[in-house]
């Protein structure tokens, strides 16, 4: 896509948003790496760490960090709300003219932020990290991720960049728009593509996790994929309509054939063996029953989302914050 870019100056304040869920092993490494890189940005930088209901010592480490460094802010959520919501909480509390969302495990190398800032100055509003390679991840993860991104591009938005996660820099005006979208089932990358504004990639090699294990098991990945598919697109509903049409056509053809055979047997009294036809009946019942259930299931997913939205609940509950100014604290944020 072609954008007209308006160059601008560096952000006065940059916010790094880092969700942490059971990341006690990586915190020290993260702290050290950020301490090295942040001075190179040559802009004031705040670090917003979200404790997403960790059950290990993560929160202790985060509080300690906030005590040592006045630019560190901690938001502790009341339970594990999941990565996308944790990032949302960070975005709500960020005060920067630009924010960067990154993982705690340093799979998103913070050095890349320098390149992102350059693009920001060129006038881009969203600069997303696009992965060239993934080291240290299983073949299974690589294959599922590959399939995930291709499928999502079809289902979510044509502008959804391939092989890009949530590692990105977002300008204030784009972030304000994003913060205005309060849907419960969040797929931030898709929402970001929907908003628009000039977007550009920066390419990087995705390193292996520095310590600990992935907090995104297959089950969570499937949930995210489901959210992305169903929250963004009526395509699954159309799929069930298409399935219904195919099954109906097959049913109609089989019906015509059965009538024709019965006609031959009873009316023309032709000497043909009239097939009792149980196989046909069983097949048809399975086919029709199965496709009805699939369709109801898909429909149910949409109804469930309407149900969730209609409750009007906040997206998350904050247990406490550390290092936040009272101004951001009292702002009505969660919905
Ligand atoms: N995360 C989170 N809540 C969750 C799961 C993950 O805040 O329920 C955080 C996690 O601490 C990390 C980031 O999201 O900073 C990405 O998670 P992870 O590295 O485990 O995912 P992967 O890179 O394996 O896809
Ligand atoms: Mg990771």
């Amino acid at each position: 896509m072609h954008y007209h870019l308006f160059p601008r100056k560096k952000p006065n304040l940059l916010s790094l948003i880092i969700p942490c869920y059971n990341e006690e092993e990586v915190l020290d490494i993260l702290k050290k790496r950020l301490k090295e890189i942040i001075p190179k940005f040559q802009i004031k930088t705040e670090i917003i760490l979200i404790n997403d209901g960790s059950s290990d010592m993560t929160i202790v480490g985060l509080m300690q960090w906030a005590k040592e460094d006045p630019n560190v802010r901690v938001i502790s959520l009341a339970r594990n709300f999941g990565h996308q919501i944790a990032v949302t909480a960070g975005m709500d509390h960020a005060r920067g003219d630009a924010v960067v969302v990154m993982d705690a495990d340093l799979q998103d190398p913070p050095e890349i932020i320098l390149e992102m800032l350059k693009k920001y100055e060129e006038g881009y509003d969203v600069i997303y990290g696009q992965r060239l390679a993934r080291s240290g991840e299983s073949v299974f993860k690589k294959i599922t991720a590959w399939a995930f991104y291709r499928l999502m591009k079809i289902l979510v938005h044509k502008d959804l960049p391939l092989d890009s996660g949530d590692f990105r820099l977002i300008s204030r005006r784009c972030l304000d728009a994003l913060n205005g979208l309060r849907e419960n089932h969040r797929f931030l990358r898709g929402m970001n593509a929907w908003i628009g504004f000039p977007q550009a990639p920066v390419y990087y090699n995705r390193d292996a996790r520095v310590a600990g294990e992935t907090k995104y098991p297959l089950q969570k990945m499937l949930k995210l994929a489901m959210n992305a598919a169903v929250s963004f697109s009526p395509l699954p509903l159309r799929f069930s309509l298409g399935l219904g049409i195919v099954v109906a056509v097959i049913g109609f053809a089989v019906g015509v054939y059965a009538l024709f055979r019965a006609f031959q047997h009873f009316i023309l009294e032709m000497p043909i063996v009239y097939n009792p036809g149980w196989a046909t009946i069983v097949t048809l019942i399975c086919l029709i029953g199965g496709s009805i259930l699939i369709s109801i299931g898909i429909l149910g997913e949409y109804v469930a989302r309407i149900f969730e939205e209609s409750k009007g609940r906040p997206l998350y509950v904050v247990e406490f914050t550390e290092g936040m100014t009272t101004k951001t604290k009292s702002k009505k944020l969660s919905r």
Side-chain angles (χ1 to χ4, degrees):
M1 207 190 291
H2 182 75
Y3 304 103
H4 185 78
L5 297 176
F6 296 93
R8 61 182 145 210
K9 54 180 183 26
K10 281 182 175 185
N12 287 322
L13 176 67
L14 178 72
S15 307
L16 301 186
I17 297 174
I18 310 177
C20 306
Y21 175 53
N22 294 345
E23 300 285 13
E24 59 182 7
E25 287 147 281
V26 311
L27 284 185
D28 282 338
I29 312 172
L30 175 69
K31 199 194 295 187
K32 197 166 150 264
R33 188 87 169 261
L34 288 181
K35 226 177 241 165
E36 283 164 14
I37 191 74
I38 286 177
K40 294 194 187 141
F41 299 160
Q42 294 177 321
I43 29 181
K44 193 167 159 50
T45 303
E46 63 170 7
I47 306 174
I48 300 184
L49 300 156
I50 304 96
N51 171 41
D52 187 17
S54 302
S55 51
D56 64 357
M57 299 292 276
T58 298
I59 187 61
V60 179
L62 295 183
M63 298 297 277
Q64 179 62 33
W65 192 353
K67 218 171 272 164
E68 292 164 15
D69 187 341
N71 295 317
V72 168
R73 312 194 142 70
V74 177
I75 306 164
S76 188
L77 302 183
R79 64 169 171 85
N80 179 240
F81 280 88
H83 170 253
Q84 299 284 301
I85 300 280
V87 170
T88 303
M91 287 176 166
D92 286 338
H93 288 79
R95 299 174 308 175
D97 307 307
V99 302
V100 169
V101 178
M102 59 182 280
D103 287 357
D105 59 4
L106 290 168
Q107 280 196 288
D108 308 323
E111 292 71 24
I112 302 297
I113 298 172
L114 283 165
E115 280 173 55
M116 291 179 166
L117 284 167
K118 255 185 234 138
K119 294 254 176 203
Y120 174 89
E121 285 177 74
E122 281 172 33
Y124 288 100
D125 286 89
V126 179
I127 300 105
Y128 50 88
Q130 193 153 349
R131 296 155 187 175
L132 291 171
R134 298 169 159 254
S135 42
E137 286 188 344
S138 66
V139 176
F140 178 74
K141 177 111 195 183
K142 282 180 195 169
I143 293 174
T144 46
W146 184 89
F148 174 82
Y149 291 115
R150 266 86 200 154
L151 184 66
M152 286 311 119
K153 196 175 165 72
I154 299 169
L155 288 176
V156 174
H157 201 282
K158 63 175 180 23
D159 295 336
L160 191 76
L162 289 172
D163 302 317
S164 310
D166 288 304
F167 181 35
R168 54 187 58 210
L169 182 147
I170 304 172
S171 72
R172 173 46 64 184
R173 60 176 186 167
C174 184
L175 185 72
D176 284 343
L178 196 57
N179 286 346
L181 308 184
R182 302 312 285 180
E183 59 228 57
N184 262 289
H185 296 271
R186 302 174 85 70
F187 182 58
L188 291 166
R189 293 163 235 177
M191 291 157 67
N192 217 169
W194 178 88
I195 286 172
F197 286 126
Q199 316 213 347
V202 289
Y203 298 97
Y204 73 107
N205 286 314
R206 190 154 165 89
D207 299 331
R209 194 173 235 289
V210 288
E213 281 162 14
T214 176
K215 311 297 180 301
Y216 250 106
L218 182 64
Q219 186 201 346
K220 273 191 185 170
M221 281 200 322
L222 287 177
K223 206 174 144 202
L224 184 69
M226 187 74 173
N227 270 342
V230 175
S231 306
F232 271 88
S233 149
L235 226 58
L237 278 176
R238 285 197 200 126
F239 165 79
S240 71
L241 178 66
L243 186 72
I245 291 171
V246 169
V247 171
V249 168
I250 294 173
F252 184 76
V254 173
V256 168
Y257 174 71
L259 281 174
F260 175 67
R261 296 291 288 197
F263 180 75
Q264 283 180 322
H265 182 74
F266 294 111
I267 312 290
L268 303 180
E269 291 177 1
M270 282 168 73
I272 52 167
V273 184
Y274 182 61
N275 192 336
W278 69 268
T280 317
I281 290 171
V282 169
T283 313
L284 279 181
I285 288 177
C286 291
L287 209 63
I288 295 171
S291 50
I292 288 177
L293 287 179
I294 291 174
S295 303
I296 292 179
I298 294 173
L299 196 62
E301 279 296 325
Y302 285 87
V303 176
R305 275 165 176 68
I306 298 171
F307 172 64
E308 288 292 336
E309 290 297 335
S310 70
K311 287 194 265 193
R313 287 191 184 171
L315 296 178
Y316 54 85
V317 179
V318 176
E319 189 190 1
F320 61 83
T321 59
E322 177 69 32
M324 290 288 166
T325 60
T326 39
K327 193 165 148 265
T328 38
K329 225 185 212 169
S330 60
K331 224 167 79 185
K332 179 131 184 40
L333 291 164
S334 41
R335 197 161 177 96

